[in-house]
Amino acid sequence: MMSNVWVDILARWGHGLFGITWIGMLYYFNFVQGEYFKEASKEALPDVKAKLATRALWWFRWGAMMTFITGVVLLGGLAAAVNAWILLGALMGTFMFLNVWLIIWPNQKVVLGLKSGDVASSAGKAGLASRTNVLFSAPMLFCMFASKHGAAVSTGMIPLKTSGLTTGLIAALALTVILELNALFGKMGPMASVKGVIHLSLALTAALVAMVVYL
């Protein structure tokens, strides 16, 4: 039987490898393909949608699936070692995964003509969920890297209050849920532009870190 150490190593390796694939495709869709679609000729779009977008979406959604599965394996192995960063990052990652499979992919099938439906409405829903995933991506990654520093310790001028269900963690989790509700029922707002969503993602990272560390 494979030792727990090797399970942990392979799960971490797979989580990173699949995560690179998933988030790389997410950035490609939002920063490259989406902007190209706005400028492409009507003659070019059908071919791009049929041959490029469908292939890219395959890697995108299965990258998300495998990232989520390996993340669940890692989370199960951590057990008592789960801390604020892990909880917050796992929540954002789970929302991002659900956005891919329950919102982005079903609506993109309508946009690409793979199933019938209101194209304009589906494009809006998929776009908002995709932008929300970009919004979550930077703070989620920060939480991944900060997770090994989850003990409640004080280092220099920075008190790391990251053990237990603190006020800051509750506030950070609540803000994350509110932003996901916006993905389901709200509007694009400043996330409509590439610069806007990048700036908001970095600002959200700073805000969530401040909540967890100082509240």
Side-chain angles (χ1 to χ4, degrees):
M1 181 178 291
M2 187 179 296
S3 70
N4 290 336
V5 172
W6 278 108
V7 171
D8 181 73
I9 291 172
L10 290 175
R12 289 177 185 276
W13 174 72
H15 193 60
L17 185 62
F18 294 126
I20 290 169
T21 303
W22 174 20
I23 302 304
M25 295 306 301
L26 173 68
Y27 289 164
Y28 162 76
F29 284 129
N30 280 273
F31 303 158
V32 181
Q33 182 176 286
E35 297 304 297
Y36 165 76
F37 276 10
K38 295 175 184 178
E39 302 173 358
S41 65
K42 292 182 179 181
E43 293 77 18
L45 281 177
D47 189 66
V48 172
K49 289 180 178 181
K51 298 177 182 178
L52 176 63
T54 51
R55 184 175 286 113
L57 279 164
W58 187 93
W59 287 100
F60 174 67
R61 67 182 186 274
W62 287 108
M65 176 66 76
M66 296 307 297
T67 303
F68 179 75
I69 290 173
T70 51
V72 170
V73 172
L74 285 173
L75 194 60
L78 289 170
V82 169
N83 56 56
W85 300 123
I86 294 173
L87 286 174
L88 185 56
L91 179 63
M92 285 186 282
T94 299
F95 281 154
M96 292 169 70
F97 163 73
L98 294 174
N99 286 342
V100 169
W101 279 93
L102 301 183
I103 305 176
I104 298 172
W105 174 232
N107 284 287
Q108 281 291 357
K109 286 192 285 187
V110 175
V111 174
L112 296 175
L114 302 177
K115 61 180 287 188
S116 60
D118 186 330
V119 173
S121 175
S122 294
K125 292 176 182 178
L128 178 56
S130 187
R131 279 293 205 257
T132 302
N133 277 9
V134 175
L135 177 68
F136 284 154
S137 64
M140 181 271 296
L141 188 61
F142 182 94
C143 289
M144 281 182 58
F145 291 147
S147 62
K148 67 173 292 185
H149 303 288
V153 297
S154 180
T155 306
M157 298 178 64
I158 305 177
L160 299 177
K161 304 175 183 178
T162 55
S163 288
L165 198 60
T166 64
T167 301
L169 176 57
I170 292 172
L173 294 172
L175 177 57
T176 301
V177 171
I178 290 170
L179 291 171
E180 177 61 20
L181 289 173
N182 182 73
L184 297 173
F185 309 110
K187 297 181 180 180
M188 192 83 74
M191 292 189 292
S193 72
V194 170
K195 285 185 178 181
V197 73
I198 291 173
H199 292 161
L200 284 174
S201 184
L202 296 175
L204 178 61
T205 303
L208 292 175
V209 170
M211 289 177 183
V212 172
V213 172
Y214 294 112
L215 291 184

